[in-house]
Amino acid sequence: MPYVNFKEENYKLDKQIKNRKENNKKIISQIKKDKTLLSGYSLNGEYSFKNTKKQMIGTQGVLKDEDFQVISDEDFICANFFNCKFQNIKFINCTFIGCNFKKCSFGGGGIIFENCTFVKSDSIKTPSLNVKDNLGCYFEDCYIYAQFKGSNISYSLFERCTFENTNFELSDLQAVIIIQSDLFKIVVSDCDFQNFKTQKCYMSDFEFDNKYMTTFDDKTFFDKLVERKKDRDEYEGFYMIYQNIAFQYEQNNLKSNFGEYYFLGKKAEHKTLDFLPKIKSYLYWFSCGYGERPLYSIYFSFFIIFLFTALFLLVGIDIEGDVIQYSNLKMIEGLSFGEFLKHLLRAFSLSTSLFSGVGDELCEPTIQSVILADIEMIFGVIVMGLGIGTLTRKIVR
């Protein structure tokens, strides 16, 4: 069985998304009713507690980052932005609390968020000891071309967004959820991805460029990638993405999670192979699930045993001195069901004995089927070795 149950994880994630939206809505409503619940923030910002629609914020055109407009030490509290354009801005030490961005574009020459905060963790109610609100920001149907540097994006929710040429560097993405979004050319460097989750996303060029390490935990979840083009280039990209994710799990000593995404990567790679390598890949896949599915070895063993059972009946076996060969049509004329069942059980017994290497006293191959017996014994040694190795690796993990 796979270690990551994608169906169960998505079911739990749907509930988590619903609860987060309700939690954000409730807390924002309380803050708007009583602004004194917030302390330590500037509540008189230009956009705080306002609905801003179809506005250009920043400088038009495509500028170099050194020419960006700088906005520093500003607080954006419960601000709603609808169909707005953010262009060529560098936000420094800014705070976004309970903000909603709908159909907004963060484009132009890009947006830089440096040492910014998108979450309010402490509770607005008393007693607040050991109580957290975790009020994050919500991005819906947005285009994001940005750099997040040293920022805290925890508990943010991105739904149906498009990320392009976006970098996350030394940032906290704990409990971030990205749903039904497109991610193109994403680079992650030394970030916190604990409890980070994606669902039904399309990815192209998603990589980790760490000087130290991006942290995962057992709650970090990447859903299976959405397929679109279904061509060689797409599957090659999926293979690299799954392998990058698998490597990060391995770096964080989450070996079982590593194995699951390694398996998905090998399945994606399989679709890019030429004829002969694909045959080899099929055997590796079906025999042990690329070293990650011990049960596959059992299924494959039964397949081989039943296959050779049929071959022995066709080519010939010796049952207590009687040669049975179903390729001889005269032999099967008038054959009763009871006799057929007896032959089948004897052939199955021989096939099982040869596969396991123990032999059978009542039944043996004929001269014509000796080569089949040799081939099955070789298969048995290889498949049992693969199965035991795969199972041992899983147990050790």
Side-chain angles (χ1 to χ4, degrees):
M1 291 294 291
Y3 182 79
V4 181
N5 188 327
F6 287 91
K7 185 176 180 180
E8 181 181 347
E9 289 291 337
N10 277 301
Y11 174 76
K12 292 190 294 185
L13 183 54
D14 287 336
K15 294 177 65 176
Q16 186 177 345
I17 293 167
K18 181 181 177 182
N19 292 337
R20 183 172 297 186
K21 288 180 178 180
E22 291 176 352
N23 178 68
N24 287 358
K25 185 177 180 180
K26 178 181 176 182
I27 296 172
I28 290 171
S29 176
Q30 291 173 343
I31 292 174
K32 287 182 176 180
K33 288 180 181 178
D34 185 2
K35 297 179 182 178
T36 61
L37 293 172
L38 284 179
S39 60
Y41 301 99
S42 172
L43 305 180
N44 300 315
E46 180 181 356
Y47 301 101
S48 295
F49 301 103
K50 296 178 182 178
N51 295 327
T52 305
K53 299 181 180 180
K54 297 182 179 180
Q55 186 168 330
M56 172 70 190
I57 302 172
T59 307
Q60 286 189 347
V62 178
L63 305 179
K64 295 182 178 180
D65 55 356
E66 56 263 27
D67 298 324
F68 283 5
Q69 175 185 342
V70 176
I71 299 177
S72 61
D73 301 302
E74 291 285 340
D75 292 338
F76 299 79
I77 310 298
C78 298
N80 296 317
F81 297 93
F82 300 93
N83 209 7
C84 293
K85 291 184 178 181
F86 297 81
Q87 293 187 356
N88 307 306
I89 306 174
K90 185 175 184 179
F91 292 97
I92 302 177
N93 297 320
C94 292
T95 302
F96 300 83
I97 302 297
C99 294
N100 293 314
F101 302 86
K102 186 171 183 178
K103 295 184 178 179
C104 293
S105 172
F106 297 81
I111 303 294
I112 298 175
F113 296 97
E114 186 173 325
N115 298 323
C116 293
T117 301
F118 291 79
V119 62
K120 181 184 179 300
S121 297
D122 54 302
S123 176
I124 60 176
K125 293 185 177 181
T126 54
S128 59
L129 181 65
N130 299 327
V131 179
K132 293 185 177 182
D133 282 340
N134 294 326
L135 173 61
C137 293
Y138 180 44
F139 298 79
E140 184 181 4
D141 296 309
C142 293
Y143 172 82
I144 301 172
Y145 168 30
Q147 180 186 64
F148 296 87
K149 189 174 182 179
S151 295
N152 187 351
I153 323 167
S154 298
Y155 291 91
S156 291
L157 183 59
F158 298 88
E159 188 168 6
R160 296 186 302 277
C161 292
T162 298
F163 294 82
E164 189 168 6
N165 290 317
T166 295
N167 289 9
F168 299 92
E169 182 179 346
L170 294 169
S171 294
D172 188 350
L173 282 79
Q174 186 176 169
V176 165
I177 299 176
I178 303 178
I179 321 160
Q180 298 177 17
S181 298
D182 295 343
L183 293 89
F184 303 105
K185 295 184 179 179
I186 309 300
V187 179
V188 178
S189 304
D190 302 310
C191 294
D192 184 354
F193 265 49
Q194 295 183 71
N195 204 15
F196 174 93
K197 299 180 187 296
T198 69
Q199 184 184 62
K200 298 177 182 177
C201 290
Y202 181 83
M203 294 187 189
S204 174
D205 254 351
F206 187 97
E207 63 178 277
F208 296 88
D209 184 20
N210 298 318
K211 184 177 180 181
Y212 300 103
M213 186 172 71
T214 291
T215 56
F216 284 18
D217 66 1
D218 57 359
K219 294 181 180 179
T220 303
F221 171 68
F222 289 85
D223 197 7
K224 293 178 182 178
L225 299 180
V226 173
E227 298 180 5
R228 288 184 182 166
K229 300 176 183 177
K230 298 184 179 180
D231 58 14
R232 186 184 185 121
D233 289 339
E234 181 175 74
Y235 289 125
E236 285 179 347
F238 285 0
Y239 166 69
M240 292 304 302
I241 291 170
Y242 281 132
Q243 295 306 297
N244 287 337
I245 294 171
F247 179 72
Q248 293 305 312
Y249 277 112
E250 186 178 38
Q251 289 288 94
N252 285 270
N253 203 33
L254 297 164
K255 304 294 186 180
S256 293
N257 300 71
F258 154 78
E260 185 61 29
Y261 289 95
Y262 171 80
F263 174 75
L264 292 175
K266 295 298 288 184
K267 284 180 67 177
E269 181 193 37
H270 171 83
K271 297 177 181 179
T272 70
L273 299 176
D274 296 327
F275 179 74
L276 289 178
K278 182 168 284 191
I279 296 299
K280 180 181 176 182
S281 177
Y282 268 126
L283 291 174
Y284 190 21
W285 181 1
F286 294 155
S287 62
C288 62
Y290 298 113
E292 299 298 331
R293 297 288 192 271
L295 281 177
Y296 281 25
S297 297
I298 298 176
Y299 302 149
F300 193 63
S301 298
F302 276 117
F303 169 76
I304 291 175
I305 290 171
F306 283 118
L307 174 63
F308 278 88
T309 297
L311 290 175
F312 281 130
L313 287 174
L314 286 172
V315 178
I317 54 172
D318 186 329
I319 301 177
E320 298 178 326
D322 294 329
V323 176
I324 305 301
Q325 189 177 19
Y326 281 12
S327 59
N328 184 352
L329 297 179
K330 292 182 179 180
M331 179 169 291
I332 60 176
E333 290 179 0
L335 185 69
S336 67
F337 178 75
E339 290 176 315
F340 167 74
L341 185 61
K342 177 184 176 182
H343 297 163
L344 179 64
L345 292 176
R346 290 299 189 192
F348 178 77
S349 176
L350 174 63
S351 182
T352 303
S353 301
L354 290 171
F355 185 85
S356 57
V358 297
D360 191 310
E361 294 182 355
L362 300 177
C363 186
E364 61 182 22
T366 61
I367 296 175
Q368 294 90 339
S369 60
V370 166
I371 186 65
L372 290 178
D374 294 337
I375 293 173
E376 184 174 14
M377 283 190 287
I378 293 172
F379 266 118
V381 170
I382 295 173
V383 174
M384 284 194 290
L386 287 172
I388 293 170
T390 302
L391 180 61
T392 302
R393 182 160 64 170
K394 284 291 192 181
I395 293 173
V396 168
R397 287 176 181 172

